[in-house]
Amino acid sequence: MTRFTKYHLVLVGIAALILLMSLVRIVSGQNDITSSGTFAAALLLAVPIGLAGLGGLWAERAGVVNIGLEGMMVLGTWFAGWAGYQWGPVAALLAGLLGGALGGLIHAVATVTFGVDHIISGVAINLLGPGITRFLSEVLYKEGTPAAAAGAGITSSPAIAGKPWEISLPLLSDGPDLLGKLENTHWFLLSDLAGILGGLTRDVNVLVILAVLLVPLTFFLLWRTAFGLRLRSAGENPWAAESLGVNVYLIKYVAVVISGAFAGLGGVFLVFVSTKYVEGQTQGRGFIGLAAMIFGNWRPGGLAAGASLFGYAEGLKLRSSGAVTAFFLFGAVLLLAYLVIRVRRMLSSDQPAELTSRSPKDYTLMAGAAAGMVVLFWLWLTVDQLPNEFVFITPHVLTLLVLLVASQRLRMPKADGVRYRRGEQH
């Protein structure tokens, strides 16, 4: 008999999600919900969020809270733009990694060596990042410098020398006309699959492929190697790890520097997309990456799902403000599915007792879900188009709602944020 694992559940969940999106598209008439343009934009927007989240994952699994991801990403963008206009994309990539790693090193020195509160150090990094980059811009990009002659300004670098690499994935993208024609038929499910495949496989930046590969690589390194076991033990109980011969200080330093490098890589990606450094181009993606990591319960797979969700919401907002109202119907259907699952569990005699209990809390949650479903469905029926102000904040509202829901099942590393000193007893 074939064993039904959580990976099968993930595949079933993805299939059900695509089916639901197709249904919502048909009912609402908003074709941008599954268009290739929406998914191409979502992919570009999800990558920097996912990279920042991966950075947070590495640091916090080693026991160091890293809310300085935004500042490290800012450092990555500036150094990538500065090196890229002089020596090209490869130099931009390396310089961005080093810039982010430098921010991580500062955070590690403050928290690991000097025992500074992790939150205070992270806030300081977020303030230092924009301050340092503005100072460097005023020194190196002012009038009369070679950079200014090449097109730099105080708030932007010259364009990168050479075009960042883009490829189209084989097989799926070799016939763009076929996928495009199938997408334009707007047939149920088939056109949706064509739009999704077209958006995810055509003209893909090489850094996108690298970012996607870093997710399973991170899982393998942290959960399938001795190094990963030592790193995670430093985040769970550093004193027990120390008693077994683990150099906890070194592990924490390595993890936080890698964390900064990942955030810097997210900054490099932003520079590649815009072809130059622009002040403020991170737009809080470091914080959203931290939220995606928390949503993913400090696991790479959950982090990737969170980054994809936030990227999709942002991409849909950019493509069509009218399509955002389809989220009302989408949310109503999800709440209906939640209610059906809860009722089936309560009525089932095959489930364990803890799943079939009928406490006041259970009834309160179900009543709240039912009320939310009715309200969302009513909003979908009555609201034709949201004001631009509400459309603009949709991804941020979604971030708060996701964290609110995810907070019910979170388990952070036990020693995350705890001040560690060798030889001390906890």
Side-chain angles (χ1 to χ4, degrees):
M1 182 177 179
T2 303
R3 183 184 174 191
F4 199 73
T5 67
K6 61 181 179 180
Y7 301 107
H8 294 108
L9 286 174
V10 170
L11 293 176
V12 171
I14 291 174
L17 184 62
I18 294 174
L19 189 65
L20 178 58
M21 292 172 70
S22 180
L23 179 63
V24 170
R25 178 187 65 80
I26 292 292
V27 174
S28 66
Q30 297 289 344
N31 293 321
D32 273 321
I33 290 176
T34 56
S35 70
S36 57
T38 297
F39 274 87
L43 186 62
L44 292 178
L45 294 162
V47 167
I49 294 173
L51 288 171
L54 275 178
L57 176 69
W58 274 80
E60 301 208 7
R61 276 295 176 179
V64 179
V65 174
N66 189 0
I67 67 168
L69 294 168
E70 178 75 7
M72 298 172 193
M73 184 178 283
V74 170
L75 289 171
T77 59
W78 191 91
F79 281 99
W82 172 75
Y85 93 88
Q86 299 180 85
W87 303 296
V90 175
L93 175 61
L94 296 177
L97 285 170
L98 290 175
L102 177 62
L105 180 61
I106 295 172
H107 189 50
V109 170
T111 56
V112 179
T113 299
F114 292 103
V116 175
D117 182 271
H118 298 192
I119 303 299
I120 293 175
S121 176
V123 171
I125 296 292
N126 288 332
L127 295 174
L128 280 173
I132 291 173
T133 55
R134 184 57 183 261
F135 170 76
L136 291 173
S137 293
E138 290 184 351
V139 172
L140 299 176
Y141 294 161
K142 63 183 180 181
E143 290 186 15
T145 60
I154 297 301
T155 59
S156 64
S157 71
I160 294 177
K163 185 180 179 181
W165 319 282
E166 286 186 352
I167 62 173
S168 291
L169 300 184
L171 299 180
L172 292 176
S173 59
D174 286 342
D177 290 336
L178 178 61
L179 286 177
K181 289 177 181 178
L182 188 57
E183 179 186 354
N184 291 330
T185 62
H186 305 309
W187 291 340
F188 176 73
L189 195 58
L190 288 178
S191 65
D192 303 288
L193 289 173
I196 293 171
L197 290 175
L200 298 182
T201 59
R202 233 177 269 145
D203 298 328
V204 179
N205 192 295
V206 170
L207 280 188
V208 172
I209 300 174
L210 176 61
V212 171
L213 293 177
L214 284 173
V215 174
L217 179 61
T218 292
F219 174 79
F220 175 77
L221 288 175
L222 296 188
W223 274 268
R224 293 291 185 269
T225 65
F227 165 75
L229 179 61
R230 295 187 185 98
L231 188 146
R232 289 185 293 114
S233 68
E236 295 291 341
N237 192 330
W239 295 274
E242 174 194 328
S243 68
L244 295 174
V246 176
N247 189 335
V248 176
Y249 284 130
L250 178 61
I251 286 288
K252 286 178 179 288
Y253 260 89
V254 170
V256 179
V257 170
I258 291 176
S259 172
F262 276 134
L265 185 60
V268 174
F269 181 80
L270 294 174
V271 171
F272 276 17
V273 171
S274 62
T275 70
K276 63 180 179 179
Y277 158 77
V278 179
E279 188 176 81
Q281 68 191 135
T282 57
Q283 296 182 340
R285 288 182 175 89
F287 298 112
I288 300 178
L290 192 65
M293 180 206 66
I294 296 172
F295 166 80
N297 208 9
W298 289 265
R299 304 276 297 192
L303 158 67
S308 300
L309 175 63
F310 298 137
Y312 176 75
E314 185 80 19
L316 189 62
K317 178 198 78 173
L318 294 176
R319 290 285 298 179
S320 171
S321 59
V324 175
T325 59
F327 269 120
F328 294 142
L329 178 59
F330 193 74
V333 175
L334 287 180
L335 287 175
L336 176 61
Y338 169 79
L339 285 172
V340 170
I341 293 172
R342 293 287 300 195
V343 170
R344 287 192 60 186
R345 281 181 174 177
M346 292 178 114
L347 298 178
S348 175
S349 59
D350 299 330
Q351 296 289 340
E354 62 269 16
L355 295 180
T356 59
S357 61
R358 303 183 185 184
S359 65
K361 181 180 178 181
D362 293 324
Y363 287 114
T364 301
L365 287 173
M366 292 177 65
M373 178 187 68
V374 172
V375 169
L376 288 175
F377 187 71
W378 175 77
L379 287 172
W380 175 71
L381 288 175
T382 57
V383 177
D384 294 327
Q385 187 166 346
L386 289 173
N388 289 333
E389 293 80 6
F390 287 98
V391 173
F392 180 77
I393 65 171
T394 297
H396 305 286
V397 173
L398 182 63
T399 301
L400 294 174
L401 292 176
V402 164
L403 290 180
L404 180 64
V405 173
S407 64
Q408 305 299 317
R409 58 172 183 82
L410 296 180
R411 183 205 170 276
M412 65 188 298
K414 290 183 179 179
D416 195 14
V418 175
R419 181 177 178 270
Y420 165 77
R421 281 293 173 265
R422 182 178 292 149
E424 289 183 356
Q425 292 298 321
H426 181 55

